[in-house]
């Protein structure tokens, strides 16, 4: 079989199959750091992220609509309609104060979770209880950077602990371990102090939200969704930088000052840039003639951006803001695929992120003032 042969084309391929957990350990930090760099320094990658997150969260965020039903009757009673309204009010009110740090709105909270999962591979948030005067709810959620989720040093060899996630006897998440070490503004580093956060509260609701970007089957943690497109994205960034640099050189106008006495003039302009521009009056200088056209630059950009966007099922025209290259029929087909992917990603976000938050807010409201929910 050619696929398992020693063909020279396979020389640079990895021939070792690692355990998913070991693979994540060796790759996560490097891949996440590189993806973060692309997100911050590449205009094309930043546009891809924004298009993807807009597809997940929509322009106003995912809005909850209650379909509460107390029985299996086909008709909805007035009492059920009233409870639905109260559930939506409870979630809407609690969402205004959802961020434990008091900085993020509900839409920003969901956007931040999607960004962390997409770029860094993991998005974590933990539930906290804060009684603050003037705020009608106490349920908050705090976004946790995935780098802070790690197994305590004294439990690294325990098989029940997997990269900061404690497992029960069935191999399901039981708790999250968060490293509280940090660097102060004065540069003083505090030693690690692991904190255990139970995955579920006593009433069965979630204390931990974990949203994953690219999940390798068998791994508890995720990798950045930039992993499959890391190399072409980096090439795109490098070629763009080289193209702009060359054009800047091409547009530069050389300046040379001819003077009668170079030594005297250099003494006069010592320490300034003019000192390096002085030549003798009878000295002749020939500059190279630049003939860089870069005519294939647009074709290269279009080709690479198409392949990168296809990995995320994003229309490259949407990312680049160019809607002139598609016919009506092909455009409809493209957008249909885009909307299908949007439905899937929104459903995943609702299951992984929105539902635990909404349920925690309803649980608090029900505990404070019974909503009349049936068991």
């Amino acid at each position: 079989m050619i696929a398992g042969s020693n063909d020279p084309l396979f020389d640079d391929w990895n021939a070792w199959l690692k355990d998913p957990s070991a693979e994540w350990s060796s790759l996560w930090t490097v891949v996440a750091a590189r993806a973060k760099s692309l997100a911050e320094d590449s205009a094309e990658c930043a546009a891809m992220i924004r298009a993807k997150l807009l597809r997940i969260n929509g322009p106003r965020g995912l809005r909850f609509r209650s379909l509460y039903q107390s029985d299996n009757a086909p008709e909805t009673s007035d009492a059920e309609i009233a409870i639905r309204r109260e559930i939506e009010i409870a979630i809407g009110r609690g969402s205004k104060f959802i961020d434990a740090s008091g900085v993020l709105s509900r839409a920003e909270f969901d956007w931040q979770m999607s960004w962390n999962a997409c770029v860094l591979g993991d998005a974590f948030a933990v539930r906290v209880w804060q009684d603050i005067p003037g705020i009608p709810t106490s349920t908050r959620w705090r976004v946790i950077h995935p780098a802070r989720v790690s197994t305590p040093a004294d439990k690294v060899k325990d098989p029940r602990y997997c990269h900061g996630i404690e497992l029960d006897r069935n191999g399901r998440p039981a708790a999250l371990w968060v490293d509280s070490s940090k660097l102060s503004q004065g540069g003083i580093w505090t030693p690690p102090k692991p904190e255990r956060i139970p995955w579920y509260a006593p009433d069965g609701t979630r204390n931990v939200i974990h949203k994953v970007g690219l999940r390798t089957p068998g791994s508890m943690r995720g990798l950045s969704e930039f992993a499959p497109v890391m190399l072409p994205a980096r090439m795109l960034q490098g070629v763009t930088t080289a193209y702009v640099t060359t054009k800047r050189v091409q547009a530069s106008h050389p300046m040379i000052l001819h003077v009668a006495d170079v030594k005297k003039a250099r003494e006069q302009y010592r320490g300034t840039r003019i000192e390096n521009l002085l030549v003798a009056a009878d000295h002749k200088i020939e500059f190279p003639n630049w003939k860089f056209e870069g005519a294939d630059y647009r074709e290269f950009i279009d080709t690479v951006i198409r392949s990168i966007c296809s990995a995320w099922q994003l229309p490259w025209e949407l990312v680049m803001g160019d809607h002139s290259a598609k016919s009506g029929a092909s455009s409809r087909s493209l957008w249909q695929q885009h909307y299908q992917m949007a439905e899937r990603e929104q459903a995943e976000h609702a299951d992984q992120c929105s539902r635990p938050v909404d349920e925690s807010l309803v649980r608090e409201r029900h505990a404070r003032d019974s909503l009349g929910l049936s068991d």
Side-chain angles (χ1 to χ4, degrees):
M1 182 184 295
I2 295 178
S5 68
N6 293 324
D7 190 285
L9 290 177
F10 300 150
D11 285 347
D12 58 345
W13 272 20
N14 187 1
W16 298 96
L17 190 60
K18 296 182 179 180
D19 176 85
S21 181
E23 186 176 44
W24 184 91
S25 298
S26 61
L27 296 178
W28 177 80
T29 303
V30 175
V31 175
R34 290 174 177 172
K36 182 174 180 291
S37 175
L38 288 174
E40 295 173 346
D41 300 329
S42 170
E44 294 83 3
C45 292
M48 287 176 58
I49 296 171
R50 183 168 292 275
K52 181 178 177 64
L53 267 56
L54 189 61
R55 181 171 68 183
I56 296 174
N57 297 280
R60 301 177 61 189
L62 300 180
R63 299 300 180 94
F64 178 85
R65 289 293 178 265
S66 175
L67 297 177
Y68 172 78
Q69 198 82 10
S70 61
D71 51 37
N72 295 326
E75 299 84 9
T76 303
S77 65
D78 292 340
E80 290 170 338
I81 293 177
I83 293 177
R84 289 182 181 182
R85 188 180 299 111
E86 290 299 320
I87 290 174
E88 293 178 3
I89 291 174
I91 293 176
R93 181 180 300 166
S95 294
K96 296 179 181 179
F97 316 101
I98 199 64
D99 181 34
S101 62
V103 176
L104 303 176
S105 65
R106 176 62 187 271
E108 289 175 316
F109 175 87
D110 287 336
W111 191 278
Q112 182 70 70
M113 293 292 288
S114 298
W115 193 97
N116 283 354
C118 175
V119 178
L120 303 179
D122 285 305
F124 290 98
V126 297
R127 180 164 62 167
V128 298
W129 186 270
Q130 296 176 340
D131 286 321
I132 302 176
I135 297 181
T137 60
S138 299
T139 299
R140 312 277 184 268
W141 287 85
R142 186 184 303 280
V143 178
I144 302 297
H145 194 281
R148 293 180 56 199
V149 177
S150 60
T151 300
D154 60 340
K155 296 178 173 61
V156 172
K157 296 183 179 181
D158 192 328
R160 296 179 303 154
Y161 296 82
C162 182
H163 307 301
I165 299 176
E166 180 183 335
L167 308 177
D168 61 16
R169 61 181 181 179
N170 296 314
R172 300 173 64 88
L176 188 75
W177 286 85
V178 179
D179 184 2
S180 62
S181 63
K182 60 182 180 180
L183 191 66
S184 68
Q185 293 182 354
I188 301 175
W189 181 79
T190 58
K193 185 181 179 182
E195 182 177 352
R196 184 182 186 274
I197 301 169
W199 204 273
Y200 294 96
D203 62 357
T205 58
R206 296 267 293 274
N207 284 330
V208 177
I209 296 175
H210 182 202
K211 183 176 181 180
V212 175
L214 180 64
R215 187 191 295 275
T216 303
S219 176
M220 297 297 295
R221 301 287 296 269
L223 288 172
S224 170
E225 294 194 48
F226 275 104
V229 299
M230 188 74 69
L231 187 57
R234 180 61 171 170
M235 288 191 298
L236 176 64
Q237 185 183 32
V239 170
T240 301
T241 302
Y243 179 85
V244 173
T245 301
T246 305
K247 284 299 183 181
R248 289 182 64 183
V249 173
Q250 236 182 331
S252 300
H253 177 70
M255 184 177 70
I256 295 296
L257 300 179
H258 289 88
V259 295
D261 190 338
V262 177
K263 184 177 180 181
K264 183 177 180 181
R266 285 183 176 174
E267 288 293 335
Q268 180 179 357
Y269 294 104
R270 181 73 66 187
T272 67
R273 295 183 179 181
I274 297 179
E275 178 185 1
N276 299 319
L277 305 177
L278 303 172
V279 297
D282 58 347
H283 193 76
K284 185 178 180 181
I285 298 178
E286 293 185 5
F287 294 96
N289 186 19
W290 286 84
K291 293 185 178 180
F292 174 76
E293 298 293 341
D296 60 345
Y297 175 72
R298 179 180 177 84
E299 287 73 16
F300 172 82
I301 292 294
D302 287 349
T303 301
V304 176
I305 200 67
R306 287 185 193 210
S307 65
I308 295 177
C309 291
S310 65
W312 289 8
Q313 288 293 299
L314 285 172
W316 71 274
E317 296 91 343
L318 176 66
V319 174
M320 300 299 288
D322 181 3
H323 301 275
S324 61
K326 285 288 183 182
S327 65
S330 60
S331 180
R332 284 193 296 272
S333 175
L334 186 70
W335 283 102
Q336 184 179 9
Q337 291 181 345
H338 180 61
Y339 290 139
Q340 289 174 347
M341 196 64 184
E343 290 183 8
R344 176 179 176 176
E345 290 179 335
Q346 288 177 0
E348 290 177 350
H349 183 82
D351 288 338
Q352 296 177 350
C353 187
S354 299
R355 185 171 298 169
V357 174
D358 295 338
E359 185 176 7
S360 66
L361 295 173
V362 173
R363 289 279 186 171
E364 180 188 348
R365 169 63 194 281
H366 186 57
R368 288 179 181 272
D369 182 14
S370 177
L371 290 172
L373 302 176
S374 62
D375 296 334

